[in-house]
Amino acid sequence: MEIGFHFVNFSIPGGTSALPTTLANTARAAEEVGAAWFTMADHFFQMESMWPADEPMLEVFSSLAFLAGQTSRIKLVVLVAGITYRYPALLAKTVTTLDVLSRGRAVCGVGAAWYKREHVGLGVPYPSTKERFERLEETVQICQQMWSDNNGGYEGKHYQLAETLCVPQPVQQPHPPILIGGTGERKTLRLVAQYADIWNGIFESTSEAAHKCDVLRRHCDALGRDYDSIQKTVFHVADPFDDLDGFFVAAEQYAKLGFDVMSILPPASNDPLGFVNRLGEELIPKAVQLGS
């Protein structure tokens, strides 16, 4: 089981002026201690489920592009990009730029978006759930075409493109991995089965994860997709150090289900560097042996 680190709390000692150093040092430390992923969320307001909306939040692609120059091995993961915030072709170009500048370390996470206050506050259209999922599917299709040798047009219900030029192409071939996040059984997991290279889920328990895996497998069977060709990853939202033994039991169960990366959300502290170093000392060395 590989470990990822999710940087989400930008309220740090020293305030705004300390953010570049803290972000860079944390990403470099995550790479040095053996973390596989450095993940960040795509939001413009801080998430109210965690902190007040007016707490600091940096834009994800600018942040990861900055970290591309501060690191050399760790994957730079958008977990996940809300498809309402950018036109699909411009999203593909942005991910391509990150992939080129990081020398092939970008992971394109996408989702249907959910934070209504953020949309309304910033004047971003917030369509119905049905429409957002339609747009998500078209976004993935457009990204795939942008990352191919087909430079022709695209005609969808919501997006029409005269050309799908993308030069240069991404470093990773055939394209940066497309990650779809979520566990909705009817829509999300069907899209995972049809399009995703990587699936990321948040689960209440490993038994829930096992059930969702069964649903995903059924979608794969219906579409003729190899279930095992989809990398399965999990977002762990609890502090693992509250019960380290329990964490390892759960991690081993996830590994047996076929999950091979666990991205960890740090607790509500303002010391991300200290948390990463603790991951390296107490958690990562044992986690990487699970499922081997």
Side-chain angles (χ1 to χ4, degrees), residues 87-287:
Y87 287 107
L90 303 187
L91 173 63
K93 187 67 176 181
T94 302
V95 175
T96 298
T97 300
L98 177 60
D99 199 58
V100 169
L101 295 181
S102 67
R103 295 181 172 87
R105 293 185 285 130
V107 174
C108 179
V110 289
W114 58 270
Y115 198 174
K116 185 175 181 179
R117 174 177 175 176
E118 190 173 60
H119 289 74
V120 174
L122 297 176
V124 178
Y126 189 68
S128 66
T129 301
K130 178 179 182 294
E131 182 176 328
R132 295 201 312 277
F133 274 94
E134 291 172 349
R135 289 178 179 271
L136 173 58
E137 183 163 16
E138 290 189 19
T139 294
V140 175
Q141 291 172 350
I142 291 167
C143 285
Q144 289 178 331
Q145 185 166 326
M146 291 280 289
W147 295 329
S148 75
D149 57 5
N150 178 2
N151 295 332
Y154 174 90
E155 286 292 328
K157 178 179 179 180
H158 300 286
Y159 303 106
Q160 297 79 42
L161 286 68
E163 299 179 87
T164 49
L165 283 169
C166 186
V167 182
Q169 283 281 287
V171 171
Q172 297 180 86
Q173 291 296 315
H175 54 71
I178 294 172
L179 179 154
I180 295 178
T183 59
E185 296 184 12
R186 187 168 62 89
K187 294 180 179 180
T188 303
L189 292 181
R190 195 272 298 172
L191 292 175
V192 171
Q194 188 162 357
Y195 298 106
D197 302 294
I198 305 172
W199 169 43
N200 183 263
I202 301 175
F203 309 103
E204 293 291 333
S205 64
T206 54
S207 60
E208 181 194 2
H211 168 70
K212 300 295 184 178
C213 286
D214 288 340
V215 174
L216 177 59
R217 189 184 295 276
R218 291 197 294 272
H219 281 298
C220 287
D221 290 343
L223 292 165
R225 175 79 186 274
D226 179 4
Y227 169 83
D228 292 324
S229 71
I230 302 170
Q231 183 181 10
K232 298 155 192 73
T233 67
V234 58
F235 193 26
H236 185 79
V237 297
D239 185 348
F241 298 110
D242 285 345
D243 180 8
L244 200 54
D245 290 338
F247 170 84
F248 285 124
V249 169
E252 186 168 22
Q253 291 172 343
Y254 279 120
K256 289 178 179 177
L257 289 171
F259 291 84
D260 60 10
V261 178
M262 182 175 284
S263 193
I264 295 179
L265 177 72
S269 73
N270 56 7
D271 183 20
L273 181 58
F275 185 81
V276 164
N277 286 329
R278 192 175 180 192
L279 288 178
E281 293 169 1
E282 302 179 40
L283 192 149
I284 290 176
K286 185 173 179 179

Side-chain angles (χ1 to χ4, degrees), residues 43-57:
H43 289 294
F44 301 89
F45 292 176
Q46 183 56 268
M47 290 170 283
E48 292 174 296
S49 59
M50 304 181 69
W51 294 284
D54 60 358
E55 288 291 302
M57 173 62 74

Side-chain angles (χ1 to χ4, degrees), residues 40 67 80 123 134 153 251:
M40 297 181 73
L67 294 179
V80 291
E134 291 172 349

